[in-house]
Amino acid sequence: MSQNSARSRASRQTVRNLILSMLVTCAFALAVWLLFIPRDGDGDPVQVVPYAQEFKQAGRVAPYTVLAPPKGLPDGNRATSVRYTPDPQFGPHWHLGFVTSDEEYVGVEQAAKDTDRFVEKVTHEARKTDAVERIGGADWQRYEGGKYDALVKHDADGVTVVIGTGSAAQIKAVAAALEPAPR
């Protein structure tokens, strides 16, 4: 056998062995991925959170009237975040966020102190417009911004801001659904 044909055969075996090794490695990696990596491709990625208990607790201790839609919102809107936290700058801060049925965000934000700066912070510097909405017997000032639009209501004990990326109608619907927490 010639030296060239021996080299050629050795070369083909090396390439064949390399390809077989790669196939075995890929098959093993695929098996690990299928068996051990959790996935839920069909599920809704939005984590829905209950908020009734936090709503009641915040209503008992807040220095202002805590507001929320007590039974949630209709038509596939889902509560995704809730918190009542102390804030050294703005006083106790109530937050309740929703994802709407068309995947927009609408949130309720409330605070007791430094209300103009609070509005600026939670709306991401949206600007006050001349439009005023009459909702539930109260006047709500409309704000428009690059990130969020908002409806803002100042009271003697604080401020309520309904913000969102959704339509003006969606934001207004949340403001209209707000009710005081039971005390």
Side-chain angles (χ1 to χ4, degrees):
M1 184 188 311
S2 77
Q3 199 174 22
N4 284 341
S5 81
R7 270 192 215 144
S8 179
R9 190 170 2 114
S11 190
R12 280 192 300 259
Q13 284 182 334
T14 302
V15 170
R16 190 187 76 185
N17 290 341
L18 177 64
I19 291 171
L20 287 174
S21 295
M22 286 177 55
L23 288 173
V24 169
T25 302
C26 288
F28 179 74
L30 179 62
V32 168
W33 181 73
L34 289 172
L35 293 173
F36 298 108
I37 304 297
R39 60 198 167 280
D40 188 11
D42 296 334
D44 186 354
V46 174
Q47 279 286 5
V48 177
V49 297
Y51 65 90
Q53 190 63 34
E54 288 87 347
F55 181 44
K56 289 177 188 174
Q57 289 174 343
R60 289 187 201 117
V61 298
Y64 49 82
T65 303
V66 175
L67 300 172
K71 293 177 178 67
L73 295 171
D75 302 327
N77 294 293
R78 299 154 291 173
T80 58
S81 58
V82 60
R83 66 184 168 274
Y84 180 76
T85 56
D87 187 310
Q89 185 176 4
F90 304 116
H93 175 187
W94 168 248
H95 161 84
L96 178 59
F98 292 92
V99 172
T100 66
S101 57
D102 57 347
E103 304 304 316
E104 295 292 341
Y105 172 75
V106 179
V108 178
E109 307 284 346
Q110 289 186 276
K113 301 190 301 188
D114 201 358
T115 58
D116 290 335
R117 288 196 57 227
F118 179 75
V119 171
E120 185 178 309
K121 177 185 173 193
V122 298
T123 65
H124 293 262
E125 300 180 0
R127 298 287 174 225
K128 183 192 280 190
T129 70
D130 292 333
V132 175
E133 299 273 351
R134 188 80 175 162
I135 302 169
D139 288 333
W140 292 74
Q141 184 71 51
R142 178 161 299 286
Y143 282 63
E144 293 178 353
K147 182 167 185 171
Y148 294 127
D149 292 336
L151 289 172
V152 177
K153 179 176 66 110
H154 288 273
D155 293 312
D157 57 358
V159 64
T160 302
V161 183
V162 179
I163 62 171
T165 60
S167 68
Q170 288 172 320
I171 295 169
K172 186 175 179 177
V174 172
L178 297 177
E179 293 183 23
R183 290 202 174 237

